Amino acid sequence: MRSGNLLDAWLDMTLRAFLRIWEKLGTGCAPTRSCDGEYLNVLLNRRQSRHVWLDSCFCRIVLICLGICDLIVNLFSRIGPEKGVIHLATAAVNNALWDMFARARGKPLWKLIVDMTPVRDIVLRLSQLVNATAFRYITDVLTREEALAMLKAKEAGKREREALVTEVGYPAYITSAGWLGYSDEKVFRLTKEALASGFNHFKMKVGADFKDDLRRGKMIRSIIDDPANYPSGFKDPLSPELAGKNAGPTGAVLMIDANQVWDVPQAIDYVTGLAEIKPWFIEEPTAPDDALGHAAIRRALKPYGIGVATGEHAHNRMVFKQLFQAEAIDVCQIDSCRLAGVSEVLSVLLMAAKFGVPVCPHAGGVGLCEYVIHLSVIDYVAISGTMERNVLEFADHLHEHFPYRCTMNKRGRYNVPSNPKEGYSIEMYKESIAEFEWPNGSYWVGARGGKVLST
């Protein structure tokens, strides 16, 4: 088969994969079954003699397909642009293409990307990584040339950073103990369990009732600040990694999350009242795309040593650009499915590194932990070069439904994915989908038949 015909076959395969994913978008978010590279594996098995050619041109084909995605987005720009359902669909397609790319190379996504060297490709005229990053509308703060220089500057020590994070894991914080609606007994138990698992960063939800929030915050503080709950010792609260985090005497850090519930003046008054529980930051205090509102809140809370974090509902890189320009946030919280996939995430990681803002991705939803560990490792090894002040969210539920589930070590850190078959996957077990898919999964069929549902 001639290479031109094979390229046509690749493009046809990708478009069929695109349609397959698009049909899965019933909920308006990333599909539960990403394009898992099945078409790719079939083609490779049938074309053993073309392996070398396929490997050398695959990056170019992915970039062509990303261009096709841009074309489709532009066609539907009247219900966008670069936001809403079209942007979410773009995220699903972009993430699926990166998944296929990584599986074709036999690497988890983070490894695929950190192995890309920031040198100019003879054909593409730019480094692979820079050429795969979204720069449109952000070149007033970050140009391709600046990004290339940043990546080159971080080449030194990259292998040492990779070895370190692989050995010790990536720092994490836990949300599972702090959900609204939990009884005091459950909060106490879950907080103690998190301490025993090695966590020292904890987040609780706030905004429903001030008195209850203050009481719950004091209760969690009483547990995580008690040296008796650290039989193996605790961290020095004056260590550089805890500087500016309002760490307690045991080095434990508390964060609070309002999920966009307040207007700007309300946010300032409410969080000021919670200053005695010493939160590191308030997450999503107001509307997620109000950059100037976040900036006003940050200025008002700075005398109390409380920072501002947001990003899980920032729908594109332009919102992040404005947050950085307005000095509105202390912590950047990317979402792997809200932004338009890995290509747009890379642009935000690069901007955050330029502005010196630590990235602590959002991972409080099903499958997000499995995704974002790749993004945090990419940030540490190849872009920012630091994980000293970064912590990646961990929510301890429903991981049993994923073949390539994330895991934690005894230090309360994410283990770095190492399965060469993983790619960038949030694939779920077929049995889980058959049971829980709405509305015809066996779980819901049983409910309609009067069966008492398990929880």
Side-chain angles (χ1 to χ4, degrees), residues 113-118 129 151 154-165 378 380-383:
I113 289 181
V114 303
D115 282 350
M116 292 179 175
T117 56
L129 187 52
L151 293 169
K154 286 295 182 287
E155 274 292 284
K158 191 162 76 170
R159 294 309 164 200
E160 290 79 6
R161 291 193 296 274
E162 180 180 336
L164 178 62
V165 72
I378 292 165
Y380 168 57
V381 176
I383 298 177

Side-chain angles (χ1 to χ4, degrees), residues 205-224:
K205 300 289 184 176
V206 297
D209 181 270
F210 176 79
K211 290 183 179 179
D212 189 57
D213 290 341
L214 185 59
R215 182 187 60 79
R216 289 166 53 243
K218 288 180 177 179
M219 180 176 66
I220 293 175
R221 268 294 181 194
S222 71
I223 301 167
I224 65 178

